[in-house]
Each structure stands twice: as structure tokens, then as C-alpha cells.
Amino acid sequence: MNNLEPIEQQVLARLLASPELYWDVADQMTPAHFHDAIWKAVWTGLDTCHKEGSFDLHLVETNAPYEGDADLVARIKSLAAKGRKLTAAIEDLTKPLFNRRNKELIAETFLKGQKALNGDTRAIKLAEDVIEELQAISGHAQQANVVSLGESAEAVYESAAQPETTGGEAFSTGIRQVDDLLGGGLVDGELTVIGAEGAAGKTALALQIGEYIACEYGPVDFQSKEMTAEQLTMRRVAAMSGISTHAMRRGGLSADDLEKIYLAKEDCKRIPLYIDSTAKTTIEQLHIRAKANMARYGTRVLFVDSVKAMRVKDARLDANLPARCGFVISELKELAKTLEIPVVALAHEVRTEREPLQRLTRKELFGGSNMEDSADNILILFRPEPILLRKEPKEGTELHVKWQTDLINWKNRAQVHADKVRMGSGGRCAELVFDGPTTTFREDRGHQDGMLL
């Protein structure tokens, strides 16, 4: 397994002769898969050319960081000529290189664990770190799951031949009108994005839905990258006890209020909602943690707060916020498909000047075209009250009179708009009431029935 130089040459030969094959292995291969310095350099040059969008053999040589005595241009041209005669599939050629690299990584991981044990490191923390590294190695080792049209058709037939069913399970959000917008609720394998302006209450809504699902269906994985677990929990304790978060922070509560908070705290212990508030988490780390949490808890739904707060390993991509958000969105869709559970992600607006009563659209959320392509459902939470309070016009003007009327009309009121839905009907909205002290939403029967419109 160690002497794989002929395989390394064949892999490079095929990629130099047929550049389009690069994309079949680009997300898995690194220079570390090659042992010889010259082949590491050729791969690096080839990889750089493709990522910069221009490819030819001389450019490969220019971008190859090789300082040896060999004639690199001649080697590259020779490999390209050889590659035109090879017919083996690139996936088959690369497997021995992946297997060797994975064995090396596993050995390094266990050696690291052994050294840590000798240093008297806590065993549980050590085991978790080793498991996470092994899962990362395993994830990189996975090849694409390719099936033929015939195999897929066989599966379609077997599904059609089953007795009649009502289809896959949809997870209710606990708010009937929102379920109606989604065509029944949250569905396995789908990515649902909830977008809103700042301070509209999207985290509160997501947490409320997450708690309902945890109580009704089972474990929920809530990845909070903007608030701590304690901050989120205080909101749910407020909702369950009826005691405002402000009162809890202030202290000096009565015995009756403390009893309500105590009972809410005990109820929380029975709810399988797991909060991870680790900061600066990359989307690559999230993949690993989500899979580990599914194995540990049996996750039914994953929440991610938020798209904007997620990071990526690539430094250049990480520094480009719009591009990073687009990449995160596409990766969350892949995660939903891989885990076969619903994923709900919260999205921020791209800052623009907008009138308080002008509703956001999907095009104004961080995520760009990937938002439209990858998200199965896009819900827009519209709650103008906090925006109106921040933008009070000068007193005594006509604008101030209109502002007062708008503020009265939207007091404690919110809407969820279906900007894009896969199974429901787009363009509709759910009318909600928002209770600020307990940060909870409920259906607004008055506006729904036309009594207050």
C-alpha cells in the first residue's frame, strides 16, 4: 500500500490529459495524498489552475511549487501523453491513494490519543476528540453514491408497488397557519430558511418551533451561533412560566413567580432539545457534529442560527460574506439530504434602505442565488413594530401622524410570508401575535378572521 508511485503518476496523467475529470475528485484530494515531492507539486499546480479558472500544461508547471532538479515541464508533458492512452475510471485510480491517506490519518489520530493519555488528559474529552477526528476522516473517505438509471428505476417501482400510504412524516411547527404555508409542516431532507430583519424575532420563532417538535416528535439539535445556551433557555423559561426575561434578569421576584420559574425549569429537563452554542463553527465542523449528534440522540430536526454566523475553512471564501453564505446554504441542503431530516436555517437581510412597512424578499437575504436554488422553503418573518419604534419621525408632522397609525396597527403583530414553498402555496401569509415579554408567537385569529383589518 505504501509504494503507490505508479498509481500517483497514472492519476495525474489522467487529470492532465482529461482536465474535466478534476472535478470528480477535487473535493477529496490534497497534496497529502501524494508521497513524492514532484507529484505533490504537479497536483498543486493542477489544482491551482482549475481553481483560478484557466488550465494548460505550462500553467500547471508555473503554479507547481517544485524546487528539485527534474525537468518539470518534460514530466508534465510526458504524463499528459501517457494519460491519453489510459482508460481506467479516475475514481478507481484514486481509491488506493485515499485508502493509504486514511490509514495514515487514523494512525496519526491514535498516536495523538496515546500521547494525550500519557499526559493524563481527561479520558472523556480525549475520546470525543478522537471520535470527531475519525468521523472527519471517514467523511472524506466517502465516494459519491452513484447509481445507474436502471437501479433507480427499480427503486421507483418498488416504492410504487407498496400499499397506499399518506407519504412521509411532516413535523408540525406547532402553529397551524405556518404548517399550512409549508403544505403540512417540515419534511425530511428539506431545507427551510426563515429570513427576517434584525430584532424581528426569528430566533424566538425557531426556538419555539424547535421546542414544540422536541416535545411532540423527539430530539432536536439546535446549533446557536449567535446566542448562548443560557440566553436561549431564558427565553423558553419565560414562555413557559409567563415571567418576562427582563424580570428574571432584574431579580427580586416573589415566591409565586419563583415557583413558576422552578416548575418551568423542571419541565425543561424533560424536553430533548440540545443546544450547541460553540462560536466560530465551520460548516465542515457542523457536518461532523450533526452526524455525531444524530448517532448520539437520534436527531429529528436540525436548526441552524444562523447562516451568516457559520464559517468555512477556506480563508478566502470565509472573508467574502455573500459568497460564504451562499456556500453555507448549499452545504446545509446537502446535510438535510444526507441525514434525511428537516434542516431549518435562519438568514439575515443584506442591509438596504427600506420603508418600515416594506417586506423583505428572498433576494434581500444573505445567500444569493444559492438561497433560491438550494432552499426548499423560504419563509419571511415580517414584524414592523421594532423597526417603526427605531424610526420615529419628527413630532407634529404628517409623517408622525401616519407613523402613530402604523404603530397602532402593527402593535404586537407579525406575519410569516411564504416567499418560496415546495409543497405549499407561495404568496400566502400566516397572521401571528407576538408577546414581547415572553418572546412567543401565537396565531392571530382576529386578523385572520378579518375582525381587525
Side-chain angles (χ1 to χ4, degrees):
M1 185 61 72
N2 287 328
N3 186 21
L4 292 177
E5 186 173 357
I7 295 294
E8 295 178 1
Q9 293 181 47
Q10 288 180 50
V11 168
L12 293 171
R14 287 285 279 135
L15 294 174
L16 291 167
S18 305
E20 70 278 2
L21 295 178
Y22 163 84
W23 300 107
D24 294 339
V25 294
D27 61 340
Q28 295 174 292
M29 295 203 72
T30 70
H33 286 90
F34 300 88
H35 269 197
D36 193 291
I38 191 170
W39 308 134
K40 285 179 185 283
V42 173
W43 165 262
T44 301
L46 186 150
D47 184 54
T48 303
C49 283
H50 278 289
K51 287 179 177 176
E52 292 183 353
S54 56
F55 177 88
D56 67 41
L57 298 183
H58 287 285
L59 279 175
V60 172
E61 186 271 337
T62 301
N63 287 288
Y66 179 67
E67 298 179 354
D69 298 327
D71 186 343
L72 194 57
V73 174
R75 292 288 185 96
I76 291 172
K77 289 182 177 179
S78 175
L79 283 174
K82 180 180 178 181
R84 296 186 188 98
K85 300 176 184 178
L86 296 174
T87 58
I90 192 66
E91 293 87 351
D92 294 334
L93 283 175
T94 53
K95 279 181 181 178
L97 303 186
F98 292 145
N99 291 339
R100 177 180 65 189
R101 181 60 181 156
N102 293 332
K103 286 184 178 181
E104 292 169 350
L105 289 170
I106 290 169
E108 290 171 8
T109 301
F110 277 110
L111 282 173
K112 187 188 300 181
Q114 189 176 21
K115 288 180 181 178
L117 276 176
N118 293 337
D120 200 26
T121 301
R122 287 178 57 237
I124 293 177
K125 179 65 168 62
L126 166 68
E128 288 179 347
D129 290 345
V130 171
I131 288 170
E132 184 167 316
E133 285 199 42
L134 291 176
Q135 285 176 329
I137 295 167
S138 175
H140 287 305
Q142 296 299 316
Q143 295 283 348
N145 184 22
V146 179
V147 297
S148 69
L149 182 62
E151 291 170 328
S152 183
E154 188 70 32
V156 170
Y157 173 77
E158 289 178 5
S159 176
Q162 297 296 316
E164 183 177 352
T165 65
T166 56
E169 180 179 24
F171 297 86
S172 172
T173 63
I175 304 174
R176 183 184 57 80
Q177 290 186 54
V178 175
D179 290 345
D180 290 343
L181 293 182
L182 294 168
L186 302 171
V187 177
D188 287 338
E190 289 192 352
L191 171 62
T192 298
V193 174
I194 300 176
E197 295 176 309
K202 52 186 177 292
T203 298
L205 179 61
L207 189 60
Q208 179 178 331
I209 293 171
E211 181 196 317
Y212 180 85
I213 291 172
C215 291
E216 295 295 320
Y217 301 98
V220 165
D221 183 355
F222 201 101
Q223 295 286 326
S224 174
K225 306 310 167 193
E226 298 197 348
M227 299 178 69
T228 66
E230 185 177 347
Q231 289 171 322
L232 289 174
T233 303
M234 182 176 285
R235 290 187 173 197
R236 294 320 301 153
V237 170
M240 296 162 73
S241 66
I243 309 300
S244 72
T245 56
H246 175 71
M248 280 189 273
R249 290 193 186 97
R250 186 184 61 216
L253 299 171
S254 68
D256 285 344
D257 286 348
L258 285 175
E259 182 179 7
K260 291 175 183 176
I261 293 171
Y262 176 84
L263 293 174
K265 181 259 293 185
E266 292 300 304
D267 284 340
C268 284
K269 293 180 180 179
R270 294 187 282 271
I271 300 174
L273 190 149
Y274 301 93
I275 301 170
D276 182 346
S277 56
T278 308
K280 296 183 178 179
T281 299
T282 67
I283 188 64
E284 295 86 357
Q285 290 171 326
L286 180 64
H287 271 256
I288 295 167
R289 291 176 188 172
K291 291 175 184 177
N293 288 342
M294 170 162 275
R296 184 181 303 173
Y297 307 122
T299 306
R300 305 303 301 276
V301 180
L302 169 66
F303 287 79
V304 179
D305 182 12
S306 64
V307 171
K308 183 180 177 182
M310 292 301 304
R311 313 304 294 266
V312 298
K313 283 186 176 179
D314 186 294
R316 284 193 297 178
L317 179 57
D318 193 63
N320 186 336
L321 180 58
R324 183 179 84 208
C325 290
F327 179 74
V328 168
I329 284 288
S330 61
E331 288 296 298
L332 289 176
K333 173 57 182 176
E334 288 304 311
L335 186 56
K337 288 162 57 180
T338 300
L339 298 182
E340 296 183 337
I341 62 172
V343 173
V344 180
L346 306 188
H348 292 77
E349 64 165 334
V350 178
R351 290 291 178 186
T352 56
E353 288 300 320
R354 184 186 306 99
E355 292 298 318
L357 300 187
Q358 183 181 350
R359 179 171 58 84
L360 277 172
T361 67
R362 75 186 92 161
K363 294 181 179 179
E364 296 170 286
L365 299 174
F366 276 113
S369 60
N370 282 13
M371 177 75 72
E372 299 195 38
D373 296 339
S374 298
D376 298 282
N377 309 298
I378 302 176
L379 304 179
I380 303 295
L381 175 61
F382 181 53
R383 191 167 76 86
E385 184 180 0
I387 305 165
L388 286 166
L389 289 172
R390 293 196 301 267
K391 296 186 176 182
E392 180 179 2
K394 185 177 180 180
E395 249 185 287
T397 63
E398 290 185 9
L399 285 175
H400 194 269
V401 174
K402 181 181 182 303
W403 173 83
Q404 287 180 311
T405 303
D406 291 337
L407 194 59
I408 292 170
N409 286 338
W410 286 99
K411 180 71 174 175
N412 299 332
R413 184 181 168 196
Q415 294 176 336
V416 175
H417 290 259
D419 196 87
K420 173 189 175 183
V421 282
R422 189 170 296 281
M423 297 301 294
S425 300
R428 300 167 57 211
C429 83
E431 293 280 356
L432 305 178
V433 171
F434 178 72
D435 181 60
T438 60
T439 62
T440 54
F441 292 86
R442 67 176 188 274
E443 290 189 11
D444 184 351
R445 300 296 301 178
H447 282 91
Q448 182 189 354
D449 296 338
M451 295 166 56
L452 301 177
L453 290 175

